[in-house]
Amino acid sequence: MTTPAATASPAPAPSTPAASLPGHVLVALALVYVIWSSTYLAIRVMVRELPPLATGGVRFVIAGAVLLAIQRARGVALPTRREWMAAVPVGVLLFGVGNGFVMHAERSISSGIAAVVCGTTPLWAGVLGPIFGERATRREWLGMALGFAGVVVLSAGGDLTSDPLAAALLLVAPLGWAAGSLWARKLPVARGPSGAATQMIAGGIVMLVVASLSGERAPEVISWSSAFSFVYLVVLGSLVGFSAYAHLLQNARPALAMSYAYVNPALAVLLGAVLGAEHVGVEVIAATALIVGAVVLLVRSKR
């Protein structure tokens, strides 16, 4: 999964026709679409050999430390103790649950299916919204019903029943991501890249502790494909992908910036089929269409 929208401070920009979007916005949009869609396949390749929680923990600690170093080099003050404390529960939900559970589930579930299920994150945000003081509209409730129907279709096809534990973790992952994103808006977390960095570091450390307690061990020999996938996730998935998304939040309409939410599932399914030789059945296609349509309703209703 991706870096939280809640950690950056979106500044709504004037409505701009797609044809007249600046080149730098188009480049950032393309980076977010392609990189974040491909992270699911990269995770699938990586966890074939590497322990999911330990590897994820190292990934996020490295990415967070690099982000903090970049911010410090730019003259930005380091996060305060209060901001670090607030980053712990948010980081655990976003990266420990939101990413860690996906990484564990992809040991037995295809990357395309994982992406489709994670596409329900905005739907879960709508369900949890009232708890955090954000009421859903009728159109948003319709979108949520449509999206969860997609999950039912996916389950009916047997794609989530081969490994019940992995399926349960995968279904909980977007719930954790949505809760963490909403909670980040209520807690005194650092803003911008510094906020994302503190949350990645906090979540990564917790993942490493859990990995150690659960007995995860790295293999003695690591293939080049697993090593490449790890580097890809750190450099492109976390650093480049987040930077491109933060750029979109500052220079494009929020609805355009959030459009990755309904592009990623479909593109991830395509990448999994073409590059990962993953099977794509009728149920996966139908579920993808339902969930993508549901997210479009939610994103457009929040414009």
Side-chain angles (χ1 to χ4, degrees):
M1 298 183 74
T2 53
T3 318
T7 57
S9 299
S15 180
T16 305
S20 61
L21 288 175
H24 60 90
V25 172
L26 291 174
V27 171
L29 196 62
L31 287 174
V32 170
Y33 283 176
V34 176
I35 291 175
W36 280 358
S37 297
S38 63
T39 54
Y40 294 95
L41 182 58
I43 289 173
R44 174 70 168 158
V45 173
M46 184 181 69
V47 298
R48 288 173 182 170
E49 296 179 353
L50 299 177
L53 294 179
T55 307
V58 172
R59 168 195 171 189
F60 294 125
V61 169
I62 292 176
V66 171
L67 273 180
L68 272 187
I70 293 174
Q71 288 294 94
R72 188 58 181 158
R74 291 176 174 174
V76 179
L78 291 174
T80 65
R81 180 179 180 182
R82 184 185 183 200
E83 290 170 337
W84 275 106
M85 294 298 294
V88 174
V90 176
V92 170
L93 286 170
L94 290 173
F95 300 102
V97 177
N99 273 276
F101 283 14
V102 171
M103 295 177 71
H104 196 286
E106 283 201 48
R107 301 178 79 179
S108 57
I109 295 177
S110 72
S111 65
I113 292 174
V116 172
V117 174
C118 289
T120 63
T121 298
L123 312 181
W124 281 114
V127 171
L128 297 175
I131 300 176
F132 294 89
E134 300 181 16
R135 298 181 61 182
T137 65
R138 291 183 179 180
R139 185 172 183 174
E140 289 170 341
W141 281 114
L142 176 60
M144 285 182 263
L146 188 64
F148 291 125
V151 175
V152 172
V153 170
L154 198 62
S155 302
D159 297 297
L160 292 176
T161 57
S162 58
D163 188 334
L165 176 59
L169 292 176
L170 183 59
L171 291 171
V172 172
L175 175 60
W177 189 270
S181 297
L182 291 170
W183 204 0
R185 298 169 64 175
K186 304 296 182 181
L187 295 178
V189 297
R191 297 300 171 184
S194 296
T198 57
Q199 292 162 33
M200 281 194 280
I201 293 173
I205 291 175
V206 172
M207 291 174 72
L208 289 173
V209 171
V210 174
S212 177
L213 294 176
S214 62
E216 283 192 355
R217 295 290 183 272
E220 295 182 359
V221 179
I222 302 174
S223 67
W224 71 268
S225 59
S226 294
F228 175 81
S229 297
F230 173 76
V231 174
Y232 181 91
L233 288 167
V234 172
V235 177
L236 292 179
S238 295
L239 297 176
V240 176
F242 172 78
S243 299
Y245 183 61
H247 184 78
L248 283 176
L249 287 173
Q250 295 174 357
N251 296 277
R253 291 177 291 108
L256 179 64
M258 291 188 294
S259 62
Y260 78 89
Y262 52 83
V263 173
N264 283 7
L267 187 53
V269 169
L270 178 62
L271 291 174
V274 175
L275 300 180
E278 296 179 350
H279 173 70
V280 180
V282 176
E283 296 84 2
V284 176
I285 296 174
T288 302
L290 287 170
I291 291 174
V292 168
V295 175
V296 169
L297 279 176
L298 262 71
V299 171
R300 290 183 65 87
S301 68
K302 290 181 178 296
R303 292 179 63 177

